[in-house]
Amino acid sequence: DAVEANVRAALEHDVPCVVGTSGWDPAPLGAAAAEKGLPLLVVPNFALGAVLMMRLAAEAARYLPRAEIVELHGEAKKDAPSGTAKATAEALGGVPVHSVRLPGLVAHQEVLFGGDGQLLTIRHDAFSREAYVPGVLLALERLGTAGERARPLLAGPQREAGLGLAGAGAGRGGR
């Protein structure tokens, strides 16, 4: 609820936005940003390792198409599945997602690919909020270039060169 009000207020004051909150639909505010010519960068996950996990999972899916996602977060996280898990599942063609909420966790996701006689697991673990800082800084840099290109709504860093990781695939999750 607060994210929509905050983004709306920022856009009303001609302030470009970077959002890393999941569990809301940014499309209506994307339209408002587009009308004003302001960038609204909605990022599924600011952790660069998570961006790589999604990119590697998209590559693995070309060879092992049967996959499922397990995502684990602290018990205070309100949305389940996380935005990162939803975005990863979408990029993999709608694979099933299993969500866990327990105390002591920060943010963890694994993508399991099953094949005849084998299992491939691609996993990302964020043990502290520090994992997100480099991605936030990169997103803020991209915000300026997004404005110059008049890109009003970006669905995630993975579609915009993976937060600086050239050629990355699709993506989101957040906090």
Side-chain angles (χ1 to χ4, degrees):
D1 296 332
V3 68
E4 290 182 49
N6 290 339
V7 171
R8 183 176 277 95
L11 294 174
E12 287 171 359
H13 290 91
D14 296 324
V15 176
C17 299
V18 173
V19 181
T21 301
S22 58
W24 70 294
D25 178 12
L29 291 176
E35 287 175 19
K36 294 190 131 226
L38 292 170
L40 169 58
L41 183 60
V42 180
V43 181
N45 197 313
F46 287 107
L48 299 180
V51 174
L52 282 169
M53 173 201 54
M54 291 185 271
R55 179 178 178 185
L56 294 170
E59 179 67 18
R62 294 175 52 206
Y63 303 97
L64 296 167
R66 295 198 48 203
E68 297 201 16
I69 297 168
V70 179
E71 60 94 6
L72 307 94
H73 286 82
E75 63 185 343
K77 183 160 181 60
K78 293 181 180 182
D79 61 323
S82 70
T84 302
K86 286 180 185 177
T88 306
E90 180 183 319
L92 299 180
V95 303
V97 177
H98 308 277
S99 299
V100 175
R101 299 292 178 265
L102 290 171
L105 297 171
V106 177
H108 314 270
Q109 178 174 301
E110 60 185 19
V111 186
L112 300 110
F113 294 91
D116 293 335
Q118 63 182 322
L119 175 72
L120 171 64
T121 302
I122 301 172
R123 182 177 174 111
H124 176 260
D125 296 287
F127 299 110
S128 77
R129 301 286 179 200
E130 293 171 350
Y132 304 111
V133 173
V136 169
L137 295 175
L138 216 58
L140 291 171
E141 285 178 26
R142 289 203 168 267
L143 190 62
T145 59
E148 293 165 17
R149 292 186 317 237
R151 300 280 309 264
L153 177 65
L154 303 174
Q158 295 74 10
R159 292 189 182 130
E160 265 301 295
L163 274 182
L165 300 171
R172 161 67 281 251
R175 308 202 235 318

